Amino acid sequence: MYKLFQRILALALTLGLLLSLAATAFAVEADEETISISTAEELVEFSANCRLDTWSENLTVELENDISLEGVAFTPIASFSGTFHGNGYTISGLSLTEGLSVAGLFQRVQEGARIEDLNVSGSVKASSACEAAGGLAGRNEGEIENCSFSGSVSGKDQVGGILGGDVFVAQAWDAYTFTGNSFTGILRADGDAVGGIIGYYHSLNKWDGISGNYYASGCGAQRGIGRVLYVD
């Protein structure tokens, strides 16, 4: 009888351990979700979900095809906090022209987010009350690497081929990755914060990894970064 009790107890402990491991695995899977996007309809749905600031936290997005937005009613991705793998594919036919104070495929890239290996082409036009306009992102607190934009970007001020403006605080010496990006096309702005890559950069310091970026001559910008407020 005693041996039988020991066996039952051991079995119960084993089952408990297995259930605990399964629960842990489920929690990790729930916290780190991956989605794939391969059609314009899926991209539109993704953008709609990103209207909620927290929706994309711990989310990884895999672009799995070239996507054309020609003739598609698309609104920009309001807020992104996850990781977006473009995988070298292109989102073409982007047309943003209606009343956006912060304009770009991604309006705001949040702290901790990362966008890489994504190509975009089209037209980005901010409203007359423009805060920032960029081909890829209006505002950025994350990392952008190996991305490109081809087309036109216009706004009142803080206009850049890739990024309109960052929002980092002066004297915050955090690592910042912004490498291997390129812009070809035309930039139009009323103010002086217009850059071939970044329109406005709040605080430039020795930790910032801004390198290997390219913009075409004659694009309407005299510098890669239009205006830098602080050099720390």
Side-chain angles (χ1 to χ4, degrees), residues 33-35 46 56-63 80-86 106 109-110 112-116 143:
E33 183 183 2
T34 298
I35 65 170
F46 167 70
S56 60
E57 289 180 357
N58 301 312
L59 178 70
T60 297
V61 180
E62 299 287 348
L63 189 64
F80 186 68
S81 301
T83 299
F84 194 106
H85 294 147
F106 296 85
V109 178
Q110 304 293 353
R114 179 177 175 82
I115 302 170
E116 64 182 30
E143 298 182 344

mmCIF file with all atom_site columns, all heavy atoms in Angstrom, residues 33-35 46 56-63 80-86 106 109-110 112-116 143:
data_model
loop_
_atom_site.group_PDB
_atom_site.id
_atom_site.type_symbol
_atom_site.label_atom_id
_atom_site.label_alt_id
_atom_site.label_comp_id
_atom_site.label_asym_id
_atom_site.label_entity_id
_atom_site.label_seq_id
_atom_site.pdbx_PDB_ins_code
_atom_site.Cartn_x
_atom_site.Cartn_y
_atom_site.Cartn_z
_atom_site.occupancy
_atom_site.B_iso_or_equiv
_atom_site.pdbx_formal_charge
_atom_site.auth_seq_id
_atom_site.auth_comp_id
_atom_site.auth_asym_id
_atom_site.auth_atom_id
_atom_site.pdbx_PDB_model_num
ATOM 1   N N   . GLU A 1 33  ? 4.089  37.372 -29.514 1.00 0.00 ? 33  GLU A N   1
ATOM 2   C CA  . GLU A 1 33  ? 3.293  36.911 -30.652 1.00 0.00 ? 33  GLU A CA  1
ATOM 3   C C   . GLU A 1 33  ? 3.962  37.307 -31.968 1.00 0.00 ? 33  GLU A C   1
ATOM 4   O O   . GLU A 1 33  ? 4.603  38.351 -32.068 1.00 0.00 ? 33  GLU A O   1
ATOM 5   C CB  . GLU A 1 33  ? 1.893  37.521 -30.580 1.00 0.00 ? 33  GLU A CB  1
ATOM 6   C CG  . GLU A 1 33  ? 0.971  37.042 -31.697 1.00 0.00 ? 33  GLU A CG  1
ATOM 7   C CD  . GLU A 1 33  ? -0.385 37.705 -31.644 1.00 0.00 ? 33  GLU A CD  1
ATOM 8   O OE1 . GLU A 1 33  ? -0.609 38.557 -30.771 1.00 0.00 ? 33  GLU A OE1 1
ATOM 9   O OE2 . GLU A 1 33  ? -1.226 37.366 -32.500 1.00 0.00 ? 33  GLU A OE2 1
ATOM 10  N N   . THR A 1 34  ? 3.822  36.469 -32.972 1.00 0.00 ? 34  THR A N   1
ATOM 11  C CA  . THR A 1 34  ? 4.313  36.756 -34.317 1.00 0.00 ? 34  THR A CA  1
ATOM 12  C C   . THR A 1 34  ? 3.156  36.676 -35.299 1.00 0.00 ? 34  THR A C   1
ATOM 13  O O   . THR A 1 34  ? 2.381  35.720 -35.268 1.00 0.00 ? 34  THR A O   1
ATOM 14  C CB  . THR A 1 34  ? 5.411  35.762 -34.739 1.00 0.00 ? 34  THR A CB  1
ATOM 15  O OG1 . THR A 1 34  ? 6.528  35.872 -33.857 1.00 0.00 ? 34  THR A OG1 1
ATOM 16  C CG2 . THR A 1 34  ? 5.873  36.051 -36.157 1.00 0.00 ? 34  THR A CG2 1
ATOM 17  N N   . ILE A 1 35  ? 3.053  37.691 -36.170 1.00 0.00 ? 35  ILE A N   1
ATOM 18  C CA  . ILE A 1 35  ? 2.047  37.659 -37.219 1.00 0.00 ? 35  ILE A CA  1
ATOM 19  C C   . ILE A 1 35  ? 2.722  37.870 -38.571 1.00 0.00 ? 35  ILE A C   1
ATOM 20  O O   . ILE A 1 35  ? 3.805  38.458 -38.648 1.00 0.00 ? 35  ILE A O   1
ATOM 21  C CB  . ILE A 1 35  ? 0.942  38.721 -37.019 1.00 0.00 ? 35  ILE A CB  1
ATOM 22  C CG1 . ILE A 1 35  ? 1.537  40.139 -37.133 1.00 0.00 ? 35  ILE A CG1 1
ATOM 23  C CG2 . ILE A 1 35  ? 0.235  38.536 -35.685 1.00 0.00 ? 35  ILE A CG2 1
ATOM 24  C CD1 . ILE A 1 35  ? 0.463  41.231 -37.180 1.00 0.00 ? 35  ILE A CD1 1
ATOM 25  N N   . PHE A 1 46  ? -3.835 45.393 -39.876 1.00 0.00 ? 46  PHE A N   1
ATOM 26  C CA  . PHE A 1 46  ? -2.744 45.630 -38.929 1.00 0.00 ? 46  PHE A CA  1
ATOM 27  C C   . PHE A 1 46  ? -2.700 47.097 -38.513 1.00 0.00 ? 46  PHE A C   1
ATOM 28  O O   . PHE A 1 46  ? -2.578 47.421 -37.330 1.00 0.00 ? 46  PHE A O   1
ATOM 29  C CB  . PHE A 1 46  ? -1.420 45.209 -39.579 1.00 0.00 ? 46  PHE A CB  1
ATOM 30  C CG  . PHE A 1 46  ? -0.195 45.668 -38.851 1.00 0.00 ? 46  PHE A CG  1
ATOM 31  C CD1 . PHE A 1 46  ? 0.148  45.124 -37.629 1.00 0.00 ? 46  PHE A CD1 1
ATOM 32  C CD2 . PHE A 1 46  ? 0.617  46.655 -39.402 1.00 0.00 ? 46  PHE A CD2 1
ATOM 33  C CE1 . PHE A 1 46  ? 1.295  45.558 -36.958 1.00 0.00 ? 46  PHE A CE1 1
ATOM 34  C CE2 . PHE A 1 46  ? 1.751  47.081 -38.745 1.00 0.00 ? 46  PHE A CE2 1
ATOM 35  C CZ  . PHE A 1 46  ? 2.094  46.536 -37.523 1.00 0.00 ? 46  PHE A CZ  1
ATOM 36  N N   . SER A 1 56  ? 0.632  46.518 -30.163 1.00 0.00 ? 56  SER A N   1
ATOM 37  C CA  . SER A 1 56  ? 1.796  45.910 -30.812 1.00 0.00 ? 56  SER A CA  1
ATOM 38  C C   . SER A 1 56  ? 2.953  45.629 -29.857 1.00 0.00 ? 56  SER A C   1
ATOM 39  O O   . SER A 1 56  ? 4.030  45.219 -30.295 1.00 0.00 ? 56  SER A O   1
ATOM 40  C CB  . SER A 1 56  ? 2.288  46.810 -31.952 1.00 0.00 ? 56  SER A CB  1
ATOM 41  O OG  . SER A 1 56  ? 2.664  48.085 -31.454 1.00 0.00 ? 56  SER A OG  1
ATOM 42  N N   . GLU A 1 57  ? 2.759  45.795 -28.560 1.00 0.00 ? 57  GLU A N   1
ATOM 43  C CA  . GLU A 1 57  ? 3.832  45.494 -27.607 1.00 0.00 ? 57  GLU A CA  1
ATOM 44  C C   . GLU A 1 57  ? 4.158  44.002 -27.659 1.00 0.00 ? 57  GLU A C   1
ATOM 45  O O   . GLU A 1 57  ? 3.266  43.158 -27.674 1.00 0.00 ? 57  GLU A O   1
ATOM 46  C CB  . GLU A 1 57  ? 3.421  45.903 -26.189 1.00 0.00 ? 57  GLU A CB  1
ATOM 47  C CG  . GLU A 1 57  ? 3.360  47.416 -25.986 1.00 0.00 ? 57  GLU A CG  1
ATOM 48  C CD  . GLU A 1 57  ? 2.946  47.793 -24.575 1.00 0.00 ? 57  GLU A CD  1
ATOM 49  O OE1 . GLU A 1 57  ? 2.647  46.873 -23.777 1.00 0.00 ? 57  GLU A OE1 1
ATOM 50  O OE2 . GLU A 1 57  ? 2.925  48.994 -24.271 1.00 0.00 ? 57  GLU A OE2 1
ATOM 51  N N   . ASN A 1 58  ? 5.461  43.681 -27.705 1.00 0.00 ? 58  ASN A N   1
ATOM 52  C CA  . ASN A 1 58  ? 5.946  42.293 -27.772 1.00 0.00 ? 58  ASN A CA  1
ATOM 53  C C   . ASN A 1 58  ? 5.489  41.561 -29.031 1.00 0.00 ? 58  ASN A C   1
ATOM 54  O O   . ASN A 1 58  ? 5.476  40.325 -29.074 1.00 0.00 ? 58  ASN A O   1
ATOM 55  C CB  . ASN A 1 58  ? 5.497  41.501 -26.539 1.00 0.00 ? 58  ASN A CB  1
ATOM 56  C CG  . ASN A 1 58  ? 5.997  42.104 -25.250 1.00 0.00 ? 58  ASN A CG  1
ATOM 57  O OD1 . ASN A 1 58  ? 7.168  42.426 -25.126 1.00 0.00 ? 58  ASN A OD1 1
ATOM 58  N ND2 . ASN A 1 58  ? 5.105  42.274 -24.284 1.00 0.00 ? 58  ASN A ND2 1
ATOM 59  N N   . LEU A 1 59  ? 5.131  42.316 -30.053 1.00 0.00 ? 59  LEU A N   1
ATOM 60  C CA  . LEU A 1 59  ? 4.676  41.728 -31.310 1.00 0.00 ? 59  LEU A CA  1
ATOM 61  C C   . LEU A 1 59  ? 5.801  41.747 -32.343 1.00 0.00 ? 59  LEU A C   1
ATOM 62  O O   . LEU A 1 59  ? 6.520  42.736 -32.474 1.00 0.00 ? 59  LEU A O   1
ATOM 63  C CB  . LEU A 1 59  ? 3.479  42.514 -31.851 1.00 0.00 ? 59  LEU A CB  1
ATOM 64  C CG  . LEU A 1 59  ? 2.904  42.054 -33.196 1.00 0.00 ? 59  LEU A CG  1
ATOM 65  C CD1 . LEU A 1 59  ? 2.209  40.699 -33.034 1.00 0.00 ? 59  LEU A CD1 1
ATOM 66  C CD2 . LEU A 1 59  ? 1.930  43.097 -33.743 1.00 0.00 ? 59  LEU A CD2 1
ATOM 67  N N   . THR A 1 60  ? 5.950  40.642 -33.075 1.00 0.00 ? 60  THR A N   1
ATOM 68  C CA  . THR A 1 60  ? 6.866  40.583 -34.203 1.00 0.00 ? 60  THR A CA  1
ATOM 69  C C   . THR A 1 60  ? 6.039  40.448 -35.480 1.00 0.00 ? 60  THR A C   1
ATOM 70  O O   . THR A 1 60  ? 5.150  39.594 -35.554 1.00 0.00 ? 60  THR A O   1
ATOM 71  C CB  . THR A 1 60  ? 7.831  39.393 -34.090 1.00 0.00 ? 60  THR A CB  1
ATOM 72  O OG1 . THR A 1 60  ? 8.653  39.562 -32.931 1.00 0.00 ? 60  THR A OG1 1
ATOM 73  C CG2 . THR A 1 60  ? 8.728  39.301 -35.324 1.00 0.00 ? 60  THR A CG2 1
ATOM 74  N N   . VAL A 1 61  ? 6.338  41.286 -36.456 1.00 0.00 ? 61  VAL A N   1
ATOM 75  C CA  . VAL A 1 61  ? 5.618  41.276 -37.728 1.00 0.00 ? 61  VAL A CA  1
ATOM 76  C C   . VAL A 1 61  ? 6.574  40.822 -38.824 1.00 0.00 ? 61  VAL A C   1
ATOM 77  O O   . VAL A 1 61  ? 7.678  41.358 -38.954 1.00 0.00 ? 61  VAL A O   1
ATOM 78  C CB  . VAL A 1 61  ? 5.057  42.672 -38.066 1.00 0.00 ? 61  VAL A CB  1
ATOM 79  C CG1 . VAL A 1 61  ? 4.317  42.637 -39.393 1.00 0.00 ? 61  VAL A CG1 1
ATOM 80  C CG2 . VAL A 1 61  ? 4.149  43.163 -36.953 1.00 0.00 ? 61  VAL A CG2 1
ATOM 81  N N   . GLU A 1 62  ? 6.152  39.849 -39.600 1.00 0.00 ? 62  GLU A N   1
ATOM 82  C CA  . GLU A 1 62  ? 6.933  39.350 -40.738 1.00 0.00 ? 62  GLU A CA  1
ATOM 83  C C   . GLU A 1 62  ? 6.206  39.725 -42.031 1.00 0.00 ? 62  GLU A C   1
ATOM 84  O O   . GLU A 1 62  ? 5.108  39.239 -42.295 1.00 0.00 ? 62  GLU A O   1
ATOM 85  C CB  . GLU A 1 62  ? 7.099  37.837 -40.658 1.00 0.00 ? 62  GLU A CB  1
ATOM 86  C CG  . GLU A 1 62  ? 7.831  37.317 -39.431 1.00 0.00 ? 62  GLU A CG  1
ATOM 87  C CD  . GLU A 1 62  ? 9.329  37.581 -39.470 1.00 0.00 ? 62  GLU A CD  1
ATOM 88  O OE1 . GLU A 1 62  ? 9.841  37.959 -40.558 1.00 0.00 ? 62  GLU A OE1 1
ATOM 89  O OE2 . GLU A 1 62  ? 9.980  37.412 -38.418 1.00 0.00 ? 62  GLU A OE2 1
ATOM 90  N N   . LEU A 1 63  ? 6.832  40.615 -42.825 1.00 0.00 ? 63  LEU A N   1
ATOM 91  C CA  . LEU A 1 63  ? 6.277  40.919 -44.147 1.00 0.00 ? 63  LEU A CA  1
ATOM 92  C C   . LEU A 1 63  ? 6.717  39.810 -45.091 1.00 0.00 ? 63  LEU A C   1
ATOM 93  O O   . LEU A 1 63  ? 7.917  39.511 -45.194 1.00 0.00 ? 63  LEU A O   1
ATOM 94  C CB  . LEU A 1 63  ? 6.785  42.283 -44.627 1.00 0.00 ? 63  LEU A CB  1
ATOM 95  C CG  . LEU A 1 63  ? 6.126  42.831 -45.890 1.00 0.00 ? 63  LEU A CG  1
ATOM 96  C CD1 . LEU A 1 63  ? 4.643  43.111 -45.653 1.00 0.00 ? 63  LEU A CD1 1
ATOM 97  C CD2 . LEU A 1 63  ? 6.823  44.125 -46.334 1.00 0.00 ? 63  LEU A CD2 1
ATOM 98  N N   . PHE A 1 80  ? 3.572  52.041 -33.147 1.00 0.00 ? 80  PHE A N   1
ATOM 99  C CA  . PHE A 1 80  ? 4.149  50.702 -33.236 1.00 0.00 ? 80  PHE A CA  1
ATOM 100 C C   . PHE A 1 80  ? 5.205  50.520 -32.162 1.00 0.00 ? 80  PHE A C   1
ATOM 101 O O   . PHE A 1 80  ? 6.116  51.339 -32.024 1.00 0.00 ? 80  PHE A O   1
ATOM 102 C CB  . PHE A 1 80  ? 4.751  50.455 -34.612 1.00 0.00 ? 80  PHE A CB  1
ATOM 103 C CG  . PHE A 1 80  ? 5.239  49.048 -34.797 1.00 0.00 ? 80  PHE A CG  1
ATOM 104 C CD1 . PHE A 1 80  ? 4.336  47.994 -34.853 1.00 0.00 ? 80  PHE A CD1 1
ATOM 105 C CD2 . PHE A 1 80  ? 6.584  48.767 -34.895 1.00 0.00 ? 80  PHE A CD2 1
ATOM 106 C CE1 . PHE A 1 80  ? 4.772  46.687 -35.008 1.00 0.00 ? 80  PHE A CE1 1
ATOM 107 C CE2 . PHE A 1 80  ? 7.038  47.470 -35.063 1.00 0.00 ? 80  PHE A CE2 1
ATOM 108 C CZ  . PHE A 1 80  ? 6.135  46.419 -35.119 1.00 0.00 ? 80  PHE A CZ  1
ATOM 109 N N   . SER A 1 81  ? 5.080  49.410 -31.408 1.00 0.00 ? 81  SER A N   1
ATOM 110 C CA  . SER A 1 81  ? 5.987  49.159 -30.282 1.00 0.00 ? 81  SER A CA  1
ATOM 111 C C   . SER A 1 81  ? 6.735  47.839 -30.409 1.00 0.00 ? 81  SER A C   1
ATOM 112 O O   . SER A 1 81  ? 7.492  47.480 -29.506 1.00 0.00 ? 81  SER A O   1
ATOM 113 C CB  . SER A 1 81  ? 5.190  49.147 -28.969 1.00 0.00 ? 81  SER A CB  1
ATOM 114 O OG  . SER A 1 81  ? 4.526  50.364 -28.757 1.00 0.00 ? 81  SER A OG  1
ATOM 115 N N   . GLY A 1 82  ? 6.538  47.096 -31.497 1.00 0.00 ? 82  GLY A N   1
ATOM 116 C CA  . GLY A 1 82  ? 7.143  45.781 -31.626 1.00 0.00 ? 82  GLY A CA  1
ATOM 117 C C   . GLY A 1 82  ? 8.335  45.759 -32.566 1.00 0.00 ? 82  GLY A C   1
ATOM 118 O O   . GLY A 1 82  ? 9.089  46.726 -32.683 1.00 0.00 ? 82  GLY A O   1
ATOM 119 N N   . THR A 1 83  ? 8.504  44.630 -33.244 1.00 0.00 ? 83  THR A N   1
ATOM 120 C CA  . THR A 1 83  ? 9.579  44.439 -34.218 1.00 0.00 ? 83  THR A CA  1
ATOM 121 C C   . THR A 1 83  ? 8.950  44.141 -35.577 1.00 0.00 ? 83  THR A C   1
ATOM 122 O O   . THR A 1 83  ? 8.111  43.239 -35.690 1.00 0.00 ? 83  THR A O   1
ATOM 123 C CB  . THR A 1 83  ? 10.502 43.275 -33.812 1.00 0.00 ? 83  THR A CB  1
ATOM 124 O OG1 . THR A 1 83  ? 11.097 43.563 -32.548 1.00 0.00 ? 83  THR A OG1 1
ATOM 125 C CG2 . THR A 1 83  ? 11.597 43.069 -34.853 1.00 0.00 ? 83  THR A CG2 1
ATOM 126 N N   . PHE A 1 84  ? 9.349  44.907 -36.588 1.00 0.00 ? 84  PHE A N   1
ATOM 127 C CA  . PHE A 1 84  ? 8.804  44.744 -37.934 1.00 0.00 ? 84  PHE A CA  1
ATOM 128 C C   . PHE A 1 84  ? 9.934  44.312 -38.856 1.00 0.00 ? 84  PHE A C   1
ATOM 129 O O   . PHE A 1 84  ? 10.866 45.073 -39.124 1.00 0.00 ? 84  PHE A O   1
ATOM 130 C CB  . PHE A 1 84  ? 8.187  46.050 -38.416 1.00 0.00 ? 84  PHE A CB  1
ATOM 131 C CG  . PHE A 1 84  ? 7.311  45.915 -39.631 1.00 0.00 ? 84  PHE A CG  1
ATOM 132 C CD1 . PHE A 1 84  ? 5.929  45.985 -39.512 1.00 0.00 ? 84  PHE A CD1 1
ATOM 133 C CD2 . PHE A 1 84  ? 7.849  45.713 -40.895 1.00 0.00 ? 84  PHE A CD2 1
ATOM 134 C CE1 . PHE A 1 84  ? 5.101  45.856 -40.618 1.00 0.00 ? 84  PHE A CE1 1
ATOM 135 C CE2 . PHE A 1 84  ? 7.042  45.586 -42.001 1.00 0.00 ? 84  PHE A CE2 1
ATOM 136 C CZ  . PHE A 1 84  ? 5.661  45.657 -41.871 1.00 0.00 ? 84  PHE A CZ  1
ATOM 137 N N   . HIS A 1 85  ? 9.854  43.065 -39.342 1.00 0.00 ? 85  HIS A N   1
ATOM 138 C CA  . HIS A 1 85  ? 10.825 42.543 -40.292 1.00 0.00 ? 85  HIS A CA  1
ATOM 139 C C   . HIS A 1 85  ? 10.262 42.700 -41.706 1.00 0.00 ? 85  HIS A C   1
ATOM 140 O O   . HIS A 1 85  ? 9.328  41.986 -42.088 1.00 0.00 ? 85  HIS A O   1
ATOM 141 C CB  . HIS A 1 85  ? 11.102 41.066 -40.020 1.00 0.00 ? 85  HIS A CB  1
ATOM 142 C CG  . HIS A 1 85  ? 11.775 40.797 -38.717 1.00 0.00 ? 85  HIS A CG  1
ATOM 143 N ND1 . HIS A 1 85  ? 11.556 39.658 -37.970 1.00 0.00 ? 85  HIS A ND1 1
ATOM 144 C CD2 . HIS A 1 85  ? 12.659 41.540 -38.004 1.00 0.00 ? 85  HIS A CD2 1
ATOM 145 C CE1 . HIS A 1 85  ? 12.278 39.694 -36.873 1.00 0.00 ? 85  HIS A CE1 1
ATOM 146 N NE2 . HIS A 1 85  ? 12.951 40.830 -36.863 1.00 0.00 ? 85  HIS A NE2 1
ATOM 147 N N   . GLY A 1 86  ? 10.851 43.615 -42.460 1.00 0.00 ? 86  GLY A N   1
ATOM 148 C CA  . GLY A 1 86  ? 10.398 43.802 -43.838 1.00 0.00 ? 86  GLY A CA  1
ATOM 149 C C   . GLY A 1 86  ? 10.876 42.714 -44.775 1.00 0.00 ? 86  GLY A C   1
ATOM 150 O O   . GLY A 1 86  ? 10.297 42.515 -45.848 1.00 0.00 ? 86  GLY A O   1
ATOM 151 N N   . PHE A 1 106 ? 4.614  54.756 -40.675 1.00 0.00 ? 106 PHE A N   1
ATOM 152 C CA  . PHE A 1 106 ? 4.430  54.662 -39.230 1.00 0.00 ? 106 PHE A CA  1
ATOM 153 C C   . PHE A 1 106 ? 4.378  56.089 -38.694 1.00 0.00 ? 106 PHE A C   1
ATOM 154 O O   . PHE A 1 106 ? 5.343  56.840 -38.845 1.00 0.00 ? 106 PHE A O   1
ATOM 155 C CB  . PHE A 1 106 ? 5.596  53.926 -38.564 1.00 0.00 ? 106 PHE A CB  1
ATOM 156 C CG  . PHE A 1 106 ? 5.750  52.489 -38.970 1.00 0.00 ? 106 PHE A CG  1
ATOM 157 C CD1 . PHE A 1 106 ? 6.451  52.153 -40.119 1.00 0.00 ? 106 PHE A CD1 1
ATOM 158 C CD2 . PHE A 1 106 ? 5.201  51.470 -38.206 1.00 0.00 ? 106 PHE A CD2 1
ATOM 159 C CE1 . PHE A 1 106 ? 6.611  50.823 -40.496 1.00 0.00 ? 106 PHE A CE1 1
ATOM 160 C CE2 . PHE A 1 106 ? 5.347  50.139 -38.573 1.00 0.00 ? 106 PHE A CE2 1
ATOM 161 C CZ  . PHE A 1 106 ? 6.049  49.813 -39.724 1.00 0.00 ? 106 PHE A CZ  1
ATOM 162 N N   . VAL A 1 109 ? 6.934  55.563 -33.962 1.00 0.00 ? 109 VAL A N   1
ATOM 163 C CA  . VAL A 1 109 ? 7.660  54.344 -33.598 1.00 0.00 ? 109 VAL A CA  1
ATOM 164 C C   . VAL A 1 109 ? 8.097  54.517 -32.146 1.00 0.00 ? 109 VAL A C   1
ATOM 165 O O   . VAL A 1 109 ? 8.859  55.420 -31.822 1.00 0.00 ? 109 VAL A O   1
ATOM 166 C CB  . VAL A 1 109 ? 8.879  54.121 -34.514 1.00 0.00 ? 109 VAL A CB  1
ATOM 167 C CG1 . VAL A 1 109 ? 9.646  52.874 -34.101 1.00 0.00 ? 109 VAL A CG1 1
ATOM 168 C CG2 . VAL A 1 109 ? 8.433  54.028 -35.971 1.00 0.00 ? 109 VAL A CG2 1
ATOM 169 N N   . GLN A 1 110 ? 7.593  53.650 -31.280 1.00 0.00 ? 110 GLN A N   1
ATOM 170 C CA  . GLN A 1 110 ? 7.774  53.838 -29.846 1.00 0.00 ? 110 GLN A CA  1
ATOM 171 C C   . GLN A 1 110 ? 9.127  53.322 -29.358 1.00 0.00 ? 110 GLN A C   1
ATOM 172 O O   . GLN A 1 110 ? 9.821  52.571 -30.051 1.00 0.00 ? 110 GLN A O   1
ATOM 173 C CB  . GLN A 1 110 ? 6.639  53.143 -29.084 1.00 0.00 ? 110 GLN A CB  1
ATOM 174 C CG  . GLN A 1 110 ? 5.246  53.588 -29.486 1.00 0.00 ? 110 GLN A CG  1
ATOM 175 C CD  . GLN A 1 110 ? 4.941  55.030 -29.118 1.00 0.00 ? 110 GLN A CD  1
ATOM 176 O OE1 . GLN A 1 110 ? 5.714  55.697 -28.450 1.00 0.00 ? 110 GLN A OE1 1
ATOM 177 N NE2 . GLN A 1 110 ? 3.793  55.521 -29.552 1.00 0.00 ? 110 GLN A NE2 1
ATOM 178 N N   . GLY A 1 112 ? 11.882 51.153 -27.842 1.00 0.00 ? 112 GLY A N   1
ATOM 179 C CA  . GLY A 1 112 ? 12.026 49.707 -27.820 1.00 0.00 ? 112 GLY A CA  1
ATOM 180 C C   . GLY A 1 112 ? 11.588 49.021 -29.100 1.00 0.00 ? 112 GLY A C   1
ATOM 181 O O   . GLY A 1 112 ? 11.830 47.822 -29.284 1.00 0.00 ? 112 GLY A O   1
ATOM 182 N N   . ALA A 1 113 ? 10.948 49.752 -30.000 1.00 0.00 ? 113 ALA A N   1
ATOM 183 C CA  . ALA A 1 113 ? 10.494 49.161 -31.264 1.00 0.00 ? 113 ALA A CA  1
ATOM 184 C C   . ALA A 1 113 ? 11.662 49.088 -32.257 1.00 0.00 ? 113 ALA A C   1
ATOM 185 O O   . ALA A 1 113 ? 12.659 49.806 -32.136 1.00 0.00 ? 113 ALA A O   1
ATOM 186 C CB  . ALA A 1 113 ? 9.353  49.980 -31.854 1.00 0.00 ? 113 ALA A CB  1
ATOM 187 N N   . ARG A 1 114 ? 11.497 48.240 -33.250 1.00 0.00 ? 114 ARG A N   1
ATOM 188 C CA  . ARG A 1 114 ? 12.532 48.097 -34.266 1.00 0.00 ? 114 ARG A CA  1
ATOM 189 C C   . ARG A 1 114 ? 11.877 47.819 -35.618 1.00 0.00 ? 114 ARG A C   1
ATOM 190 O O   . ARG A 1 114 ? 10.991 46.968 -35.735 1.00 0.00 ? 114 ARG A O   1
ATOM 191 C CB  . ARG A 1 114 ? 13.493 46.953 -33.913 1.00 0.00 ? 114 ARG A CB  1
ATOM 192 C CG  . ARG A 1 114 ? 14.594 46.719 -34.957 1.00 0.00 ? 114 ARG A CG  1
ATOM 193 C CD  . ARG A 1 114 ? 15.555 45.634 -34.513 1.00 0.00 ? 114 ARG A CD  1
ATOM 194 N NE  . ARG A 1 114 ? 16.520 45.318 -35.544 1.00 0.00 ? 114 ARG A NE  1
ATOM 195 C CZ  . ARG A 1 114 ? 17.633 46.009 -35.793 1.00 0.00 ? 114 ARG A CZ  1
ATOM 196 N NH1 . ARG A 1 114 ? 17.920 47.063 -35.045 1.00 0.00 ? 114 ARG A NH1 1
ATOM 197 N NH2 . ARG A 1 114 ? 18.465 45.669 -36.746 1.00 0.00 ? 114 ARG A NH2 1
ATOM 198 N N   . ILE A 1 115 ? 12.352 48.538 -36.650 1.00 0.00 ? 115 ILE A N   1
ATOM 199 C CA  . ILE A 1 115 ? 11.890 48.324 -38.023 1.00 0.00 ? 115 ILE A CA  1
ATOM 200 C C   . ILE A 1 115 ? 13.124 48.087 -38.879 1.00 0.00 ? 115 ILE A C   1
ATOM 201 O O   . ILE A 1 115 ? 14.068 48.890 -38.858 1.00 0.00 ? 115 ILE A O   1
ATOM 202 C CB  . ILE A 1 115 ? 11.104 49.543 -38.542 1.00 0.00 ? 115 ILE A CB  1
ATOM 203 C CG1 . ILE A 1 115 ? 9.913  49.833 -37.632 1.00 0.00 ? 115 ILE A CG1 1
ATOM 204 C CG2 . ILE A 1 115 ? 10.627 49.305 -39.966 1.00 0.00 ? 115 ILE A CG2 1
ATOM 205 C CD1 . ILE A 1 115 ? 9.222  51.135 -37.929 1.00 0.00 ? 115 ILE A CD1 1
ATOM 206 N N   . GLU A 1 116 ? 13.124 47.003 -39.648 1.00 0.00 ? 116 GLU A N   1
ATOM 207 C CA  . GLU A 1 116 ? 14.311 46.677 -40.428 1.00 0.00 ? 116 GLU A CA  1
ATOM 208 C C   . GLU A 1 116 ? 13.950 46.048 -41.766 1.00 0.00 ? 116 GLU A C   1
ATOM 209 O O   . GLU A 1 116 ? 12.902 45.431 -41.932 1.00 0.00 ? 116 GLU A O   1
ATOM 210 C CB  . GLU A 1 116 ? 15.221 45.729 -39.640 1.00 0.00 ? 116 GLU A CB  1
ATOM 211 C CG  . GLU A 1 116 ? 14.602 44.377 -39.339 1.00 0.00 ? 116 GLU A CG  1
ATOM 212 C CD  . GLU A 1 116 ? 15.513 43.479 -38.517 1.00 0.00 ? 116 GLU A CD  1
ATOM 213 O OE1 . GLU A 1 116 ? 16.305 44.005 -37.729 1.00 0.00 ? 116 GLU A OE1 1
ATOM 214 O OE2 . GLU A 1 116 ? 15.424 42.238 -38.685 1.00 0.00 ? 116 GLU A OE2 1
ATOM 215 N N   . GLU A 1 143 ? 14.413 51.897 -33.217 1.00 0.00 ? 143 GLU A N   1
ATOM 216 C CA  . GLU A 1 143 ? 15.536 51.651 -34.106 1.00 0.00 ? 143 GLU A CA  1
ATOM 217 C C   . GLU A 1 143 ? 15.019 51.411 -35.528 1.00 0.00 ? 143 GLU A C   1
ATOM 218 O O   . GLU A 1 143 ? 14.044 50.687 -35.725 1.00 0.00 ? 143 GLU A O   1
ATOM 219 C CB  . GLU A 1 143 ? 16.336 50.437 -33.632 1.00 0.00 ? 143 GLU A CB  1
ATOM 220 C CG  . GLU A 1 143 ? 16.939 50.606 -32.250 1.00 0.00 ? 143 GLU A CG  1
ATOM 221 C CD  . GLU A 1 143 ? 17.763 49.405 -31.828 1.00 0.00 ? 143 GLU A CD  1
ATOM 222 O OE1 . GLU A 1 143 ? 17.623 48.333 -32.473 1.00 0.00 ? 143 GLU A OE1 1
ATOM 223 O OE2 . GLU A 1 143 ? 18.534 49.528 -30.879 1.00 0.00 ? 143 GLU A OE2 1
#
